[in-house]
Amino acid sequence: MVFTTAHVGPWSTSLNWDLRATRFGEMRLPFRQYVHSGQNERHPSDDEFHRFLQLPTELQQYIVSFCDPATLFQLMHVSFTTRQKAKKLFWSDPTTRYIIDGQWLLAGGHPRHTNDNLEALTHMQYIEVDFSFYGSVFVMEWKEGGYYTDIREGEDQRTVFWMALRRRFPRVTDVVLTEGNPNRPETPAPERATQLATGSPDGISISVSQLRWYSDTCICPSSRYLWRRNRSNHESPTWELTETSWNPRRITPPNRKYSGLVGAYQLLDHNDMDLAELDNARQIHAIQATVAYYLHVRQAPCVCPFPLCGMQFEQPDELVTHYSQEYLWSIDHDGRVPLPPCESLRSAFERHDASLELKRQRLSDEMARMKAAWGEPGSPERSTVSQQFLQQLRNDPLYAGEKAPEESEIWFRYQRDMIGQEHPPIY
Ligand SMILES: [Zn+2]
Ligand SMILES: [Zn+2]
């Protein structure tokens, strides 16, 4: 177990380096860190555990009901008697949302196109289906006019989506459909999401959510609206705004098994995305550290740390909001967020930044290795590797999809990357 949460400096901020963030600054924690949370790193001894198992079942269950997710997850693997109870509690926590790629379900939820472990999905009850264009493998191709994707339109699309969702999430009870693009505060529930909801099966609670502009130009990750569908009138359901700062604990599901050449490529692609989300989170951490620095050390109004800006803010939250806005729209805020002058904080970030650089280097080495194996056009290497890739798509059930291998999105993407340009920089 690695301790990745650092408590740094004279402030109350703690830096959880395991967090990932979207480009809007919304944080997510990968499943493996969620169930192995370093803060609760005290495992019961065998002896303690033996005594626990001697307690009457009701008492055991009572105790288990107070466990945090990491402990519950351990209990799910050690004892038969507590397993069922722990499992039930673990997956039915309504404050935790598993983030699922909406484009994947729109494309039929086939094994080929997901990074998620399909078995784990079958236990989930509370999910947030995310349609933001960032974070999805389908996205760019889909946005550019639909080539090389398996996504359909209209009612057909809704049917495909809900069938896939039911098949992959047989235990789901509560679904939030999350719209990718932000909108103004006064506008109603997003139309695309509410339309998609019309095809939903009975017995599942449906909500939709969308980020709202905080001011005229600016998005703030804490201003996510949530509407819950009211189905008392079955024909024309209404949407009731129930929250204006919806921010659950967001968890990304455990990863799938990556096998063969297709798996190697998919893992590389996944790690690339993961690094981008770590980069985003690093920026948010730096902004929060800056806020904490002005609040607790300087006890003065916050100043934007970018040298070309230097704007001053009376309310600490305003800096966070300011950064979310400038990061998206202005070149003055490119690059890494400069850190406040505190040695322990700076060295913690230095170590973290070095580990991100190492990941970046490994990814680029791996990409270079894969490109070398792909060979020149017309070469025997090229032909062998192509056949290997397509054959796996054809035969490996872990990579089953709807389209023929030659027309599949992952084959298209693989070729593009092998020929291709480096991925665009993150910042
Ligand atoms: Zn552990
Ligand atoms: Zn600024």
Side-chain angles (χ1 to χ4, degrees), residues 304 306 309-311 322 326 333:
C304 176
F306 285 92
C309 176
M311 264 176 80
H322 165 76
E326 297 300 327
H333 295 70

Side-chain angles (χ1 to χ4, degrees), residues 220-293:
C220 177
S222 60
S223 54
R224 182 173 278 287
Y225 282 24
L226 186 79
W227 293 261
R228 188 159 277 273
R229 185 173 61 182
N230 183 342
R231 281 197 109 169
S232 51
N233 179 352
H234 210 79
E235 292 304 304
S236 50
T238 53
W239 294 89
E240 188 196 346
L241 181 65
T242 53
E243 295 203 44
T244 54
S245 57
W246 188 60
N247 192 18
R249 172 161 59 188
R250 293 188 166 90
I251 307 294
T252 49
N255 285 0
R256 66 173 300 152
K257 183 167 172 278
Y258 296 96
S259 62
L261 178 58
V262 179
Y265 169 68
Q266 196 184 30
L267 179 60
L268 185 63
D269 199 51
H270 171 70
N271 285 338
D272 193 53
M273 184 71 69
D274 191 53
L275 183 58
E277 294 184 348
L278 281 167
D279 282 332
N280 291 338
R282 185 268 180 212
Q283 303 290 71
I284 306 292
H285 283 319
I287 285 292
Q288 283 168 349
T290 305
V291 168
Y293 169 74

Side-chain angles (χ1 to χ4, degrees), residues 1 35-37 40-41 43 74:
M1 167 65 41
V35 299
H36 258 178
S37 138
N40 308 305
E41 193 59 30
H43 299 191
Q74 283 165 22

